[in-house]
Amino acid sequence: MTPVRSADLGDGTYRNPVLNADWSDPDAVAVGEDFYLTASSFGRAPGLPLLHSRDLVNWSLVGHALDRLEPAADFAAPRHDRGVWAPSLRYADDRFWIFWGDPDHGIFQVNAERVRGPWSAPHLLKAGKGLIDACPLWDERTGEAYLVHAWAKSRSGVKNRLTGHRMSRDGRTLLDEGRVIVDGDRIPGWFTLEGPKLYRHGGWFWILAPAGGVDTGWQGAFRSRDFFGPYEEKVVLAQGGTDVNGPHQGGWVRTPAGEDWFLHFQARGAYGRVVHLQPMAWDTDGWPVLGDRGEPVRVHRKPAAPPQPVEAPATDDAFPGGRYGRQWQWTANPRAGWTVEHGGDGLRLACVRSADARDLRLLPHVLTQRLPAETFTAGVSLSLESAEPGARAGLAVLGDAFSWIGLERGADGAVRLVHRFAEAVAERERDAAHARVVPDSAGGRVRLRVEVAPGARCRFAYDCGTGEGWRPSGLVFTATPWRWVGALLGLFAVAPEGQGGAGTATFTGFHVN
């Protein structure tokens, strides 16, 4: 059974973060009595995760809107910090819509009648380099539709400004060349303005957008009577005297009870960008007030909603029928043959032949999920069915540096328990502990475990089933993020280059506590 890692305290209050994992750049929408949230998925597939809640505190993962990234050939190999950046989720004209910017290709959108799909194929709305953080608005008062987006200087040479367009209601065509509607360079003290979310409220066009950088920035609000401006600005959420650094980039939702709430992220290093929920009100001048007078709250009463089961996105997986759950993503677009169907439970991965077998960061066929909390233990059982010398499989913590523990078939035919790692600057892995032959009495199966402590300090262990119990392996490994992306838990099977199949590895009983 999956352990509950909900922020719900069970007494009518919640504790931030409400999603204590890397649900980066969140955006949310209210549809009837339901709330839905999506987040950046960068180069992993499937992309555009879809989460559901009835109270903004208890969330479950219900699917993904993007099966494969486009253009497909560009994501045949890992692109950890590219792909889907900062999507916006909206509901208009009886459809769900998601817009996002791919910094190397442009602005895309997908849409669906139901959140669980089927979703349309990605449509490239605006091609170009450095176009990011796209958000649409359908103005129900006038029938007009609009789009706003930010810029990535790494691709375009431009940043700190927001560009606006008029758009067709079907979200397929921009109706003008676009104009800069907010120039952060003209606002004293503002820099790295990005992540805009566009709304209509009280006769104003509103843009909620962060600035100042993800680690130390703030959340801003802009308003204008006309979409193309001029806009006036105000800081509406900042760290202040709290320990919530850079409260940054998110979405506003209004509940059926008429309450306003704001979901945003906090950058937490290897843990990624965790999601906080802030109460939202309006001051006498009509500006939003987020949190506790503009500072993030740690504990607060829950939104007014019917009682809900305490819930958090799933982590555990028994791999029933050989299938993996929706919490898993590949590090690139998947290909046929990476998993092997069979009649029982357990995930059977093919030992995919690769020239990059000694560097997990380069492998597209690593099955990953987010670190689910600040402290936790994740374990899985593994057997290696491959007879191929050099074939290996294991449990990994994967980021700009990585470490893994698992099994490897030696040139002498023996199966060994191995533990390896690579620093961020290293081009290949090396041993983190001495290898040991798995005794015949173990039946070729081991249990693997990683314990994660505050600071993302990881301690690996194994149990060969010989009565010795759990044994620690190697020194403490400190997980590191990729650029923009938190560290990941991963399962993999790989073999050296060669001809023909290289066998399989089977994982059973993935469990987090």
Side-chain angles (χ1 to χ4, degrees), residues 438-445 464-467:
V438 176
D440 292 339
S441 59
R445 176 176 294 275
C464 289
T466 57

PDB file of all heavy atoms in Angstrom, residues 438-445 464-467:
ATOM      1  N   VAL A 438      27.102 -12.574  -5.865  1.00  0.00           N
ATOM      2  CA  VAL A 438      25.829 -12.950  -5.266  1.00  0.00           C
ATOM      3  C   VAL A 438      25.817 -14.470  -5.124  1.00  0.00           C
ATOM      4  O   VAL A 438      25.946 -15.188  -6.127  1.00  0.00           O
ATOM      5  CB  VAL A 438      24.647 -12.467  -6.131  1.00  0.00           C
ATOM      6  CG1 VAL A 438      23.322 -12.941  -5.550  1.00  0.00           C
ATOM      7  CG2 VAL A 438      24.669 -10.948  -6.239  1.00  0.00           C
ATOM      8  N   PRO A 439      25.671 -14.984  -3.936  1.00  0.00           N
ATOM      9  CA  PRO A 439      25.748 -16.437  -3.755  1.00  0.00           C
ATOM     10  C   PRO A 439      24.594 -17.168  -4.439  1.00  0.00           C
ATOM     11  O   PRO A 439      23.505 -16.613  -4.619  1.00  0.00           O
ATOM     12  CB  PRO A 439      25.695 -16.608  -2.235  1.00  0.00           C
ATOM     13  CG  PRO A 439      25.079 -15.362  -1.720  1.00  0.00           C
ATOM     14  CD  PRO A 439      25.473 -14.275  -2.657  1.00  0.00           C
ATOM     15  N   ASP A 440      24.851 -18.411  -4.823  1.00  0.00           N
ATOM     16  CA  ASP A 440      23.815 -19.216  -5.483  1.00  0.00           C
ATOM     17  C   ASP A 440      22.571 -19.342  -4.620  1.00  0.00           C
ATOM     18  O   ASP A 440      21.450 -19.430  -5.129  1.00  0.00           O
ATOM     19  CB  ASP A 440      24.366 -20.608  -5.795  1.00  0.00           C
ATOM     20  CG  ASP A 440      25.449 -20.564  -6.875  1.00  0.00           C
ATOM     21  OD1 ASP A 440      25.481 -19.570  -7.624  1.00  0.00           O
ATOM     22  OD2 ASP A 440      26.245 -21.522  -6.939  1.00  0.00           O
ATOM     23  N   SER A 441      22.768 -19.328  -3.292  1.00  0.00           N
ATOM     24  CA  SER A 441      21.620 -19.476  -2.390  1.00  0.00           C
ATOM     25  C   SER A 441      20.649 -18.309  -2.502  1.00  0.00           C
ATOM     26  O   SER A 441      19.493 -18.404  -2.085  1.00  0.00           O
ATOM     27  CB  SER A 441      22.102 -19.603  -0.942  1.00  0.00           C
ATOM     28  OG  SER A 441      22.849 -18.453  -0.555  1.00  0.00           O
ATOM     29  N   ALA A 442      21.112 -17.179  -3.069  1.00  0.00           N
ATOM     30  CA  ALA A 442      20.235 -16.014  -3.222  1.00  0.00           C
ATOM     31  C   ALA A 442      19.318 -16.162  -4.423  1.00  0.00           C
ATOM     32  O   ALA A 442      18.404 -15.364  -4.604  1.00  0.00           O
ATOM     33  CB  ALA A 442      21.064 -14.748  -3.353  1.00  0.00           C
ATOM     34  N   GLY A 443      19.585 -17.153  -5.276  1.00  0.00           N
ATOM     35  CA  GLY A 443      18.733 -17.378  -6.433  1.00  0.00           C
ATOM     36  C   GLY A 443      18.808 -16.275  -7.462  1.00  0.00           C
ATOM     37  O   GLY A 443      17.873 -16.097  -8.258  1.00  0.00           O
ATOM     38  N   GLY A 444      19.909 -15.526  -7.478  1.00  0.00           N
ATOM     39  CA  GLY A 444      20.070 -14.458  -8.460  1.00  0.00           C
ATOM     40  C   GLY A 444      19.217 -13.243  -8.184  1.00  0.00           C
ATOM     41  O   GLY A 444      19.066 -12.383  -9.049  1.00  0.00           O
ATOM     42  N   ARG A 445      18.665 -13.135  -6.975  1.00  0.00           N
ATOM     43  CA  ARG A 445      17.785 -12.013  -6.641  1.00  0.00           C
ATOM     44  C   ARG A 445      18.336 -11.275  -5.426  1.00  0.00           C
ATOM     45  O   ARG A 445      18.829 -11.892  -4.488  1.00  0.00           O
ATOM     46  CB  ARG A 445      16.375 -12.502  -6.352  1.00  0.00           C
ATOM     47  CG  ARG A 445      15.388 -11.410  -5.893  1.00  0.00           C
ATOM     48  CD  ARG A 445      13.998 -11.962  -5.726  1.00  0.00           C
ATOM     49  NE  ARG A 445      13.446 -12.378  -7.009  1.00  0.00           N
ATOM     50  CZ  ARG A 445      12.830 -11.564  -7.858  1.00  0.00           C
ATOM     51  NH1 ARG A 445      12.686 -10.287  -7.553  1.00  0.00           N
ATOM     52  NH2 ARG A 445      12.351 -12.013  -8.998  1.00  0.00           N
ATOM     53  N   CYS A 464      21.034  -9.671   0.194  1.00  0.00           N
ATOM     54  CA  CYS A 464      21.149 -10.794  -0.740  1.00  0.00           C
ATOM     55  C   CYS A 464      20.315 -12.007  -0.322  1.00  0.00           C
ATOM     56  O   CYS A 464      20.385 -13.065  -0.973  1.00  0.00           O
ATOM     57  CB  CYS A 464      22.616 -11.214  -0.882  1.00  0.00           C
ATOM     58  SG  CYS A 464      23.625 -10.023  -1.792  1.00  0.00           S
ATOM     59  N   GLY A 465      19.558 -11.890   0.753  1.00  0.00           N
ATOM     60  CA  GLY A 465      18.696 -12.987   1.161  1.00  0.00           C
ATOM     61  C   GLY A 465      19.421 -14.164   1.753  1.00  0.00           C
ATOM     62  O   GLY A 465      18.901 -15.284   1.754  1.00  0.00           O
ATOM     63  N   THR A 466      20.616 -13.930   2.290  1.00  0.00           N
ATOM     64  CA  THR A 466      21.410 -15.020   2.866  1.00  0.00           C
ATOM     65  C   THR A 466      21.361 -15.037   4.388  1.00  0.00           C
ATOM     66  O   THR A 466      22.139 -15.754   5.026  1.00  0.00           O
ATOM     67  CB  THR A 466      22.877 -14.872   2.408  1.00  0.00           C
ATOM     68  OG1 THR A 466      23.359 -13.583   2.805  1.00  0.00           O
ATOM     69  CG2 THR A 466      22.986 -15.013   0.898  1.00  0.00           C
ATOM     70  N   GLY A 467      20.463 -14.239   4.954  1.00  0.00           N
ATOM     71  CA  GLY A 467      20.337 -14.194   6.401  1.00  0.00           C
ATOM     72  C   GLY A 467      21.126 -13.095   7.065  1.00  0.00           C
ATOM     73  O   GLY A 467      21.016 -12.895   8.282  1.00  0.00           O
TER      74      GLY A 467
END
